[in-house]
Amino acid sequence: MRTIALTEETRKNVLENLLKRSPSSYGKFEDAVAEIVENVRNNKDAAVFEYTKRFDGADINAGNIKVTKEEIDEAYEQVDPSLLDVIRKALVNIREYHEKQKKYSWFDSKPDGTMLGQKVMPLAKVGVYVPGGKAVYPSSVLMNVVPAKVAGVEKIIMTTPCGKDGKVYPSTLVAAMEAGADEIYKVGGAQAIAALAFGTESIPKVDKIVGPGNIYVALAKKAVYGHVSIDSIAGPSEILVLADETANPHYVAADLLSQAEHDEMASAILVTTSRDFADKVSEEIEGYLKTLSRSEIIRKSLDNYGYALVAETMDEAIETANEIASEHLEIVTANPFEVMMKIRNAGAIFIGEYSSEPLGDYFAGPNHVLPTNGTAKFFSPLGVDDFIKRSSIIYYSREALKDIHKDIIQFAEAEKLTAHANSIRVRFEEEDANE
Amino acid sequence: MRTIALTEETRKNVLENLLKRSPSSYGKFEDAVAEIVENVRNNKDAAVFEYTKRFDGADINAGNIKVTKEEIDEAYEQVDPSLLDVIRKALVNIREYHEKQKKYSWFDSKPDGTMLGQKVMPLAKVGVYVPGGKAVYPSSVLMNVVPAKVAGVEKIIMTTPCGKDGKVYPSTLVAAMEAGADEIYKVGGAQAIAALAFGTESIPKVDKIVGPGNIYVALAKKAVYGHVSIDSIAGPSEILVLADETANPHYVAADLLSQAEHDEMASAILVTTSRDFADKVSEEIEGYLKTLSRSEIIRKSLDNYGYALVAETMDEAIETANEIASEHLEIVTANPFEVMMKIRNAGAIFIGEYSSEPLGDYFAGPNHVLPTNGTAKFFSPLGVDDFIKRSSIIYYSREALKDIHKDIIQFAEAEKLTAHANSIRVRFEEEDANE
């Protein structure tokens, strides 16, 4: 891993290089996606079945698009019972954490008869997209379904592509059932997103669509935004480890590689106050690379976006972490809690030597769907907030409105909105005339 | 106002007509906006000054782009002191309501040494766009600035176009200062949005941009989304009044018109259980139209998107209100609180005869930036939530990780992410070998 001394200039260069990973040159797929979305919007099921035949090679129709009780039973038979055990243990933690994020309606009344409040309600229907392909991530199913379930969403509709044989991965089905998905449909790609956004004869229209996907899925989500809500579009994974010389280079190197293995666009960055420590971590990385199964991906990812950055002071190191605003941030220093207080931007913060990042991916409870690519400066982890909405509540008594009605009339007239002023005025016409 | 009996079919037709107001055919401006955004991103101040000359006819440079203390003093001299009084009274209510929306960081620790939490932080810098043109809405300045201020945003940067004379409307400046904006720059349109998103020599880069604007502003916000966060793009205003025969038709008609006056795309809908009441409201509307200054706009808006819908039962009326998901919903029935409990979708809910909609626009306290065009099914009013972000916090002790480390390894291996498994395994290698 390249080691660089942090200066104003090197920091700027690193930040610029990282931002190259932003999704771009999407243009060339946009027309194809727009056509799929329009076709599904207009021709519904017929279009969905046709695309599924063309792209997934599967014969899907109104009779077999929905995953059946029998298929689910079959999936349970095929999944390793000890994996099911682990899924259930993880679910306890994930639910417990998200329960703490719940919001409640409130109101506040005053002696003059006014009442103001906020009514919090879950979205009615949510679509969860689960990718097919080679990588099967049941953990991602849990992380997308549980916050919707905890929020109280009535209906969680999952869609995922099936194989040529019309089957869905057993671990995907089992994770979906354990997490609480209500219905599962065998459709993937842009056609699945369009079906969820507009509804078809078989697939219900939803209010929001979440979940990761390839570029077609991402563009389709962008295209239907406004008709429905969507989650933010995830970029490649990232880890930043903030460490001083007290950290264990053997552990830190392993943690950096755990994110670098995701794909060639992933980024693994060490920011440390010790050049000696940076060198040790680089050595450890070389050692691991000889044994890990995904070492080819890791090597490319480290060459592209891997750095060991050496800072003069811990404050400079912290400032760099805040500027990069990493998806995952590990703090492995002598006083990690003190450092955490100074962190302003990160998706998830892992504190101390035994809070290794994969603990958060699978087990601890907080969501693993996190803001990437510097967006932790303004975005948050997926959570219960993403599946609720608020309505303001306003109640004024006659007396309360009377007290302030002239103020409202004046404000409305200053904005030249005379019908606004009129709607208040008509309620007190007689009294005001008699004044 | 046309009166229609509610059936499955008429409801469908009304919903389809309302959705015609969705922003579309934006395409033709997209290239122009993309060019402005790129030019400002590359040439910064120079591009901003050039566009301001071209579009606003004003000579703006690094020396005069930022509103000065002297200009603010001048604005205070020009604003009607009684309007200033009203603004200050409204601000007390707006702040008090938004204070109740504040979120706090939390953590939860367990005897086994684990700690999970959520760190809540304000965004660092926020841009508030305020349109120029004929309509000057100081109330909108308050509603966009206050939630950011209450959230604890360090720097609130406002931009607004100036006149040919380089001046900004006094009431805009006064509202901005009273609400707590930190800096104000004289730039409007797509060039203002690009400047806030990427920063220039004069204008600081922000993390999020909020505030209404014309089509160029809306498209520029869409173009910079991802580099920064944005609020949702507002559609035309709407009111839905849910009333039974106990309501006062004189008041209800006035309230419907208060939204219809906004523009020709605005929508005013009465849903009632009484045909007789619907007729009375229509009569009242005709009466008002003879006197109101904006009656031409109102007539067009009512012709396009105004309806009196007559339901057989209150439950049917409520269901229709939930389907339409109006920005503003007034409930004027014998038991308005009971009806409110059954409302699932609305931006703001006004309860009873004296909670007239303009009370919420100016004075009561809840935000008047609300979801439009049916998006209240999944979006919420602007609030403190829009100006904060969360980071997850994870801390496990050695003992706590040891207890579950094999579960994580198994889950990671089931997903074929071997470097994930490795990062947990290396921490307990020796002990596991000795088992």
Side-chain angles (χ1 to χ4, degrees):
Chain A
M1 200 151 73
R2 81 202 101 173
T3 303
I4 298 176
L6 264 176
T7 63
E8 196 74 21
E9 204 194 327
T10 57
R11 183 155 81 180
K12 195 165 153 268
N13 292 341
V14 169
L15 282 166
E16 275 174 10
N17 186 42
L18 290 175
L19 285 176
K20 283 193 195 135
R21 300 177 309 145
S22 291
S24 62
S25 70
Y26 271 16
K28 55 182 166 176
F29 302 105
E30 251 169 17
D31 290 345
V33 167
E35 195 190 311
I36 295 172
V37 169
E38 270 311 291
N39 193 4
V40 171
R41 186 178 187 174
N42 295 325
N43 300 310
K44 303 179 194 288
D45 267 1
V48 168
F49 301 153
E50 191 200 314
Y51 287 123
T52 304
K53 179 74 193 164
R54 197 191 307 170
F55 298 133
D56 303 327
D59 283 312
I60 292 298
N61 55 54
N64 66 7
I65 192 170
K66 189 172 172 181
V67 171
T68 62
K69 170 95 180 52
E70 288 67 37
E71 288 173 307
I72 286 165
D73 291 344
E74 200 181 50
Y76 270 89
E77 280 161 28
Q78 290 170 349
V79 163
D80 178 352
S82 66
L83 178 63
L84 180 55
D85 262 7
V86 175
I87 286 176
R88 287 180 175 163
K89 280 197 219 171
L91 267 174
V92 170
N93 292 343
I94 298 168
R95 276 200 203 102
E96 189 180 322
Y97 183 85
H98 287 83
E99 286 284 345
K100 293 186 214 293
Q101 294 184 322
K102 279 180 86 163
K103 299 283 159 57
Y104 298 91
S105 300
W106 55 263
F107 69 92
D108 193 25
S109 58
K110 293 197 175 169
D112 69 357
T114 64
M115 187 275 256
L116 299 176
Q118 187 168 281
K119 190 176 178 192
V120 177
M121 283 158 295
L123 305 192
K125 285 182 192 155
V126 163
V128 176
Y129 186 82
V130 177
K134 276 180 209 159
V136 188
Y137 296 138
S139 62
S140 169
V141 176
L142 308 185
M143 292 295 185
N144 279 281
V145 172
V146 170
K149 196 79 187 169
V150 170
V153 171
E154 281 163 48
K155 210 146 224 167
I156 300 171
I157 317 280
M158 204 174 100
T159 69
T160 189
C162 60
K164 287 196 177 66
D165 58 354
K167 299 281 180 197
V168 174
Y169 288 109
S171 60
T172 299
L173 291 185
V174 166
M177 296 319 292
E178 293 292 320
D182 295 291
E183 297 171 5
I184 305 170
Y185 294 91
K186 299 172 188 169
V187 49
Q191 59 274 22
I193 302 301
L196 289 168
F198 300 108
T200 72
E201 298 87 344
S202 298
I203 301 173
K205 174 180 171 28
V206 300
D207 298 308
K208 181 165 187 166
I209 302 171
V210 300
N214 63 18
I215 185 150
Y216 290 94
V217 170
L219 283 172
K221 280 164 74 178
K222 222 175 132 187
V224 301
Y225 179 70
H227 298 284
V228 296
S229 178
I230 60 167
D231 58 355
S232 55
I233 295 184
S237 194
E238 303 159 350
I239 189 169
L240 190 150
V241 181
L242 198 56
D244 61 18
E245 71 292 344
T246 67
N248 182 328
H250 192 56
Y251 300 170
V252 168
D255 292 359
L256 288 166
L257 299 186
S258 76
Q259 292 311 296
E261 82 169 331
H262 272 294
D263 56 69
E264 296 166 14
M265 300 283 275
S267 157
I269 298 177
L270 168 67
V271 182
T272 179
T273 45
S274 159
R275 160 74 70 163
D276 184 47
F277 180 77
D279 291 341
K280 281 185 197 154
V281 170
S282 287
E283 265 170 52
E284 291 283 348
I285 285 175
E286 286 307 316
Y288 283 128
L289 279 172
K290 287 172 195 142
T291 65
L292 287 169
S293 65
R294 295 164 73 90
S295 60
E296 205 167 318
I297 295 171
I298 295 175
R299 244 182 234 288
K300 284 192 185 147
S301 141
L302 292 182
D303 284 350
N304 290 334
Y305 304 108
Y307 294 98
L309 302 175
V310 183
E312 299 270 328
T313 64
M314 186 48 71
D315 277 344
E316 195 193 349
I318 291 169
E319 197 42 43
T320 301
N322 280 327
E323 281 295 321
I324 293 174
S326 186
E327 181 189 18
H328 304 101
L329 171 68
E330 285 190 7
I331 304 174
V332 200
T333 61
N335 293 301
F337 281 91
E338 287 174 23
V339 172
M340 183 269 282
M341 304 304 172
K342 296 182 179 172
I343 295 299
R344 293 193 314 274
N345 305 316
I349 305 172
F350 297 80
I351 299 175
E353 193 150 275
Y354 289 93
S355 307
S356 173
E357 191 278 337
L359 164 67
D361 284 342
Y362 293 111
F363 212 82
N367 211 288
H368 79 196
V369 181
L370 297 167
T372 55
N373 230 336
T375 62
K377 289 183 179 175
F378 40 83
F379 291 148
S380 300
L382 191 71
V384 171
D385 275 356
D386 293 285
F387 300 100
I388 59 170
K389 64 200 178 66
R390 298 172 275 115
S391 296
S392 309
I393 309 281
I394 297 173
Y395 171 73
Y396 263 51
S397 64
R398 184 172 206 287
E399 281 316 295
L401 187 67
K402 195 181 162 207
D403 282 348
I404 51 117
H405 77 283
K406 289 180 182 169
D407 292 327
I408 302 176
I409 291 170
Q410 175 164 20
F411 212 149
E413 285 180 343
E415 294 190 351
K416 299 196 177 66
L417 293 174
T418 48
H420 282 65
N422 183 61
S423 76
I424 303 295
R425 189 180 289 114
V426 295
R427 285 166 161 90
F428 303 98
E429 253 161 349
E430 284 176 32
E431 284 147 283
D432 288 348
N434 295 335
E435 258 180 17
Chain B
M1 199 152 73
R2 83 202 100 174
T3 303
I4 297 175
L6 264 177
T7 64
E8 196 73 24
E9 204 192 328
T10 56
R11 182 155 84 180
K12 196 167 151 264
N13 292 342
V14 169
L15 282 166
E16 275 174 10
N17 187 40
L18 290 174
L19 285 176
K20 283 194 194 132
R21 301 177 310 146
S22 292
S24 63
S25 69
Y26 272 15
K28 54 184 165 177
F29 303 106
E30 249 168 19
D31 291 346
V33 167
E35 194 190 313
I36 295 172
V37 169
E38 270 312 293
N39 192 3
V40 172
R41 186 177 186 173
N42 296 326
N43 301 309
K44 303 179 194 287
D45 267 0
V48 167
F49 302 154
E50 191 200 316
Y51 287 123
T52 303
K53 180 75 191 162
R54 198 192 307 172
F55 298 134
D56 302 329
D59 283 313
I60 291 299
N61 56 53
N64 67 5
I65 191 170
K66 190 172 172 181
V67 171
T68 62
K69 172 94 179 54
E70 288 68 36
E71 288 173 307
I72 286 165
D73 290 345
E74 199 181 51
Y76 270 88
E77 280 162 26
Q78 291 170 350
V79 164
D80 179 353
S82 67
L83 178 64
L84 180 56
D85 261 7
V86 175
I87 286 176
R88 285 180 177 164
K89 280 197 219 172
L91 267 175
V92 170
N93 291 344
I94 298 169
R95 275 198 205 104
E96 190 180 321
Y97 184 86
H98 287 85
E99 287 284 346
K100 292 186 213 296
Q101 293 185 324
K102 280 179 86 163
K103 299 283 158 58
Y104 299 90
S105 300
W106 54 263
F107 69 91
D108 192 25
S109 59
K110 293 198 174 167
D112 69 358
T114 63
M115 187 274 255
L116 299 176
Q118 187 169 281
K119 189 177 180 192
V120 177
M121 283 158 296
L123 306 191
K125 286 183 191 154
V126 164
V128 175
Y129 185 82
V130 177
K134 276 179 209 161
V136 188
Y137 296 137
S139 62
S140 169
V141 175
L142 309 184
M143 293 294 185
N144 279 282
V145 173
V146 170
K149 195 80 187 168
V150 170
V153 171
E154 282 161 47
K155 209 148 226 168
I156 300 171
I157 318 280
M158 204 173 99
T159 69
T160 190
C162 60
K164 285 194 177 65
D165 58 354
K167 298 280 181 201
V168 174
Y169 288 108
S171 60
T172 300
L173 291 185
V174 166
M177 295 320 291
E178 293 292 320
D182 295 291
E183 296 171 6
I184 305 170
Y185 295 90
K186 299 171 188 172
V187 49
Q191 59 274 24
I193 303 301
L196 289 168
F198 300 108
T200 72
E201 297 87 344
S202 298
I203 301 173
K205 173 180 170 31
V206 300
D207 298 308
K208 182 166 188 165
I209 303 172
V210 300
N214 63 18
I215 185 149
Y216 290 93
V217 170
L219 283 172
K221 279 163 75 177
K222 223 175 131 185
V224 301
Y225 179 68
H227 298 285
V228 297
S229 179
I230 60 168
D231 58 356
S232 56
I233 296 186
S237 195
E238 303 159 349
I239 189 169
L240 190 150
V241 180
L242 198 56
D244 60 18
E245 71 292 343
T246 67
N248 182 328
H250 193 55
Y251 300 171
V252 167
D255 292 359
L256 288 166
L257 299 186
S258 77
Q259 292 311 295
E261 82 169 331
H262 272 293
D263 57 68
E264 296 166 13
M265 301 283 274
S267 158
I269 299 177
L270 168 67
V271 182
T272 178
T273 44
S274 159
R275 160 74 68 161
D276 184 48
F277 180 77
D279 291 341
K280 282 185 197 152
V281 169
S282 286
E283 265 170 53
E284 292 282 349
I285 284 175
E286 286 307 314
Y288 284 127
L289 278 172
K290 288 172 194 138
T291 65
L292 287 170
S293 65
R294 295 164 73 91
S295 60
E296 206 168 317
I297 295 171
I298 295 175
R299 242 181 236 288
K300 284 193 185 147
S301 141
L302 292 181
D303 284 351
N304 291 334
Y305 304 109
Y307 294 97
L309 302 175
V310 183
E312 299 270 329
T313 64
M314 186 47 73
D315 278 344
E316 196 194 347
I318 292 169
E319 196 42 42
T320 301
N322 280 327
E323 280 295 321
I324 292 175
S326 186
E327 181 190 17
H328 304 101
L329 171 69
E330 285 189 8
I331 305 173
V332 199
T333 61
N335 294 299
F337 281 90
E338 286 173 24
V339 172
M340 183 269 281
M341 304 302 170
K342 295 181 180 172
I343 294 299
R344 295 192 313 274
N345 304 316
I349 305 172
F350 298 78
I351 299 174
E353 194 150 273
Y354 289 93
S355 308
S356 173
E357 192 278 337
L359 164 66
D361 283 343
Y362 294 112
F363 212 82
N367 211 289
H368 79 197
V369 180
L370 298 167
T372 55
N373 230 336
T375 61
K377 288 183 180 177
F378 39 82
F379 291 148
S380 299
L382 191 71
V384 171
D385 274 355
D386 292 286
F387 301 101
I388 59 170
K389 63 198 178 70
R390 299 171 274 116
S391 295
S392 309
I393 308 280
I394 297 172
Y395 170 74
Y396 263 51
S397 63
R398 183 173 207 287
E399 279 317 294
L401 187 66
K402 195 183 162 205
D403 281 349
I404 51 118
H405 78 282
K406 288 180 182 168
D407 292 326
I408 302 176
I409 291 169
Q410 177 166 19
F411 212 150
E413 286 182 342
E415 294 191 350
K416 300 197 177 65
L417 293 174
T418 48
H420 281 64
N422 183 60
S423 76
I424 303 295
R425 188 180 288 116
V426 295
R427 285 166 160 91
F428 303 98
E429 254 162 348
E430 283 177 33
E431 283 146 284
D432 289 348
N434 294 335
E435 257 180 18

